[in-house]
């Protein structure tokens, strides 16, 4: 009787684990993971503002107080640089690798002078940048990313309708592009 009970419990635990693994891995097999959706925007190396209605990739901006823009990038040929300036009540940036693992995040309170100036590079590229740092990167935050492809999500808060144009301009004028010396 004991072995039958043990086999039954082991079968239940095994089935539960199998179902959890299938649910977590399914997006990578179907091509509907976040990275694939961002790549579907066809806007490599520039921020693309999301609207409240889902676009062809299914990405949308659901929060009524936050405006969101996404950017896919590759650091295969060199570092990527993210810049944004402007007076908005709050902004945040999160950088993800192609497996949607968060690599780095920051907001206006942790940035130098409240400005976004971030460089994402591979470990080797960072060593080269630190050997002879360009003057243009004096205030930049340097972030190491092991993967060569990824995406960034920039959010800005518009707590009142009067901030909406200001926030939309902030996102439209932000940049996500390869860094050139």
């Amino acid at each position: 009787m004991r072995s039958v009970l043990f086999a039954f419990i082991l079968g239940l635990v095994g089935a539960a684990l199998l179902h959890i693994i299938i649910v977590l891995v399914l997006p990578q097999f179907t091509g509907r993971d976040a990275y694939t959706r961002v790549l579907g925007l066809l806007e490599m190396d520039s921020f693309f503002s999301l609207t409240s209605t889902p676009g062809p990739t299914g990405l949308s901006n659901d929060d009524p107080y936050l405006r969101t823009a996404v950017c896919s990038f590759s650091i295969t040929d060199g570092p990527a640089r993210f810049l944004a300036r402007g007076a908005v009540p709050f902004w945040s940036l999160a950088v993800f690798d192609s497996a949607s693992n968060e690599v780095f995040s920051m907001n206006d309170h942790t940035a130098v002078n409240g400005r976004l100036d971030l460089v994402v590079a591979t470990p080797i590229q960072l060593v080269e940048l630190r050997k002879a740092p360009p003057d243009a990167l004096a205030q930049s935050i340097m972030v190491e990313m092991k993967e060569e492809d990824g995406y960034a999500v920039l959010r800005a808060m518009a707590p009142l309708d009067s901030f909406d144009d200001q926030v939309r301009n902030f996102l439209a004028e932000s940049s996500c592009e390869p860094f050139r010396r």
Side-chain angles (χ1 to χ4, degrees):
M1 182 67 172
R2 215 183 235 179
S3 61
V4 172
L5 183 62
F6 179 73
F8 179 73
I9 292 174
L10 188 63
L12 282 177
V13 170
L17 284 174
L18 180 64
H19 280 86
I20 290 170
I21 290 170
I22 288 171
V23 167
L24 292 177
V25 175
L26 194 60
Q28 275 100 15
F29 288 123
T30 62
R32 300 302 298 164
D33 60 320
Y35 179 66
T36 305
R37 289 177 181 210
V38 171
L39 283 179
L41 296 173
L42 303 174
E43 294 287 331
M44 190 79 161
D45 296 328
S46 65
F47 279 107
F48 181 82
S49 292
L50 301 179
T51 61
S52 58
T53 57
T57 63
L59 294 175
S60 65
N61 184 32
D62 294 335
D63 193 313
Y65 300 111
L66 287 176
R67 305 297 174 261
T68 306
V70 295
C71 168
S72 59
F73 64 92
S74 176
I75 54 176
T76 304
D77 298 326
R81 189 171 189 192
F82 303 91
L83 295 168
R85 288 173 174 69
V88 293
F90 173 80
W91 62 261
S92 70
L93 176 84
V95 177
F96 300 90
D97 64 14
S98 60
S100 297
N101 297 313
E102 186 173 7
V103 175
F104 182 79
S105 66
M106 66 182 293
N107 60 47
D108 59 335
H109 297 291
T110 58
V112 177
N113 297 326
R115 295 179 178 169
L116 172 60
D117 188 351
L118 179 75
V119 174
V120 177
T122 63
I124 294 171
Q125 293 167 348
L126 274 181
V127 168
E128 292 299 318
L129 282 174
R130 288 184 176 135
K131 279 183 186 175
D135 291 337
L137 299 182
Q139 297 290 316
S140 299
I141 296 171
M142 307 279 195
V143 175
E144 178 182 308
M145 190 166 105
K146 292 178 177 64
E147 298 260 339
E148 293 184 341
D149 297 319
Y151 64 98
V153 179
L154 180 61
R155 296 177 186 96
M157 180 178 275
L160 302 170
D161 289 339
S162 60
F163 286 101
D164 205 40
D165 288 338
Q166 189 177 356
V167 167
R168 289 188 193 282
N169 288 338
F170 173 80
L171 292 175
E173 294 170 5
S174 59
S175 67
C176 157
E177 55 194 29
F179 174 70
R180 305 284 182 232
R181 287 183 181 239

